[in-house]
Amino acid sequence: MPVDVYIRGKEHAVMHLYYSRFHSHLCRDQGMVSHREPFRKLLVQGLIKGQTFRVAETGRYLKKEDTDFTCPSVGFGHQTEGPETPNPSVLNKRERSEARKIWENKNYAITQVTGHFTEDFLLNAAISRLMGLTNTLSQASSRVVLHSVEFEEALASLCVMAAPMCPHLASELWAGLSQVRNPLGSVLSGKASVLQQPWPSVDPDYLQTPDTLQLSIWINNKACGSVSVPREVAQDAQKVQELVLNSPLGAHLLSERVIKKAILSPRTALIYFLGDE
């Protein structure tokens, strides 16, 4: 005592938490313990009451008894299965550059999500970062999906990092992913469940790269180039806007415009400016 982290559902706020704090305060007043609060940190989580189903077209939720399970399932199991045998050496320069960006996004996501799980407990921010990685993977070209070990490792890391928050879904995805017949790396060689996989680690080479991020600039729904910004301010909309406006590209594109609004995407490296033509 005190406990480092107390993780409970909201129903415990008036039961276990209430009584444990009462007794802890009492013991402190009696000089029996040196601390007043029994827990250093409190993380209140929601409740999973059962599996849910939803109509894809309307978003309407269904009960299990109203759901048709006769449709054949579709897995990630065909991720590297196709007419060609996976071979990273066939990727051209553009595709290797695309794979490199996936690798960078994966390592950035691992850094951010690990911090949110172990330091500040901002699970919503962890979900947001995983959504960003998901968007990156969903936009990958078919040849990069088939021939890139970077895509394979990023997809595996995404499943593992999602498992603490959605274990059932992640387990099903991993079961399909681990059945790939032609894996490019060793990350899919194990047959254990997703909850038994080691937590993804940041690649050593990533730690040696400049701590900057290429930020895409869009003006009135048109891509206009990119600007390099420090990663530590990449989520600060005001600082990013100032850096862009003070850059040579930003000064050239925006100095003569009246900026009506600037929007920094929280999940992708992009800032959108709305201004006069």
Side-chain angles (χ1 to χ4, degrees), residues 2-3 31 43 45 54 60 73 104 108 123 130 141 146 182 193 216 241 243 247 255:
V3 174
L43 177 60
Q45 61 185 19
R54 194 167 61 173
R60 183 172 66 89
S73 61
E104 292 176 347
Y108 181 60
L123 300 187
L130 293 178
S141 62
L146 177 61
N182 301 303
S193 71
S216 298
Q241 181 177 341
L243 289 171
S247 68
S255 60

Side-chain angles (χ1 to χ4, degrees), residues 113 116 122-132 165 267:
V113 174
H116 293 320
L122 296 177
L123 300 187
N124 58 331
I127 292 174
S128 177
R129 179 47 50 203
L130 293 178
M131 291 172 64
M165 293 179 286
R267 296 191 295 270

Side-chain angles (χ1 to χ4, degrees), residues 96-252:
R96 289 196 300 271
S97 177
E98 180 184 345
R100 173 75 180 188
K101 290 182 179 179
I102 291 175
W103 177 81
E104 292 176 347
N105 200 311
K106 178 205 73 172
N107 281 285
Y108 181 60
I110 292 174
T111 301
Q112 295 293 307
V113 174
T114 302
H116 293 320
F117 271 129
T118 61
E119 297 175 9
D120 52 28
F121 300 104
L122 296 177
L123 300 187
N124 58 331
I127 292 174
S128 177
R129 179 47 50 203
L130 293 178
M131 291 172 64
L133 181 56
T134 302
N135 291 339
T136 298
L137 296 178
S138 65
Q139 295 168 9
S141 62
S142 58
R143 280 172 54 84
V144 169
V145 171
L146 177 61
H147 297 294
S148 147
V149 67
E150 290 85 355
F151 182 92
E152 180 181 289
E153 292 180 347
L155 183 58
S157 297
L158 175 63
C159 285
V160 174
M161 291 190 291
M165 293 179 286
C166 48
H168 304 290
L169 174 61
S171 295
E172 291 194 26
L173 295 177
W174 186 264
L177 187 59
S178 60
Q179 294 175 17
V180 171
R181 291 196 294 264
N182 301 303
L184 292 169
S186 61
V187 68
L188 297 180
S189 59
K191 297 302 180 182
S193 71
V194 68
L195 296 176
Q196 295 175 297
Q197 302 303 314
W199 188 257
S201 58
V202 178
D203 295 315
D205 291 345
Y206 179 78
L207 300 176
Q208 304 301 320
T209 58
D211 197 19
T212 59
L213 186 70
Q214 287 299 118
L215 189 75
S216 298
I217 300 175
W218 285 64
I219 303 176
N220 294 336
N221 207 32
K222 181 181 179 181
C224 300
S226 62
V227 170
S228 180
V229 299
R231 289 185 184 274
E232 63 265 20
V233 301
Q235 301 296 319
D236 189 320
Q238 184 62 36
K239 290 184 179 179
V240 168
Q241 181 177 341
E242 292 176 359
L243 289 171
V244 171
L245 293 177
N246 292 329
S247 68
L249 179 62
H252 173 70

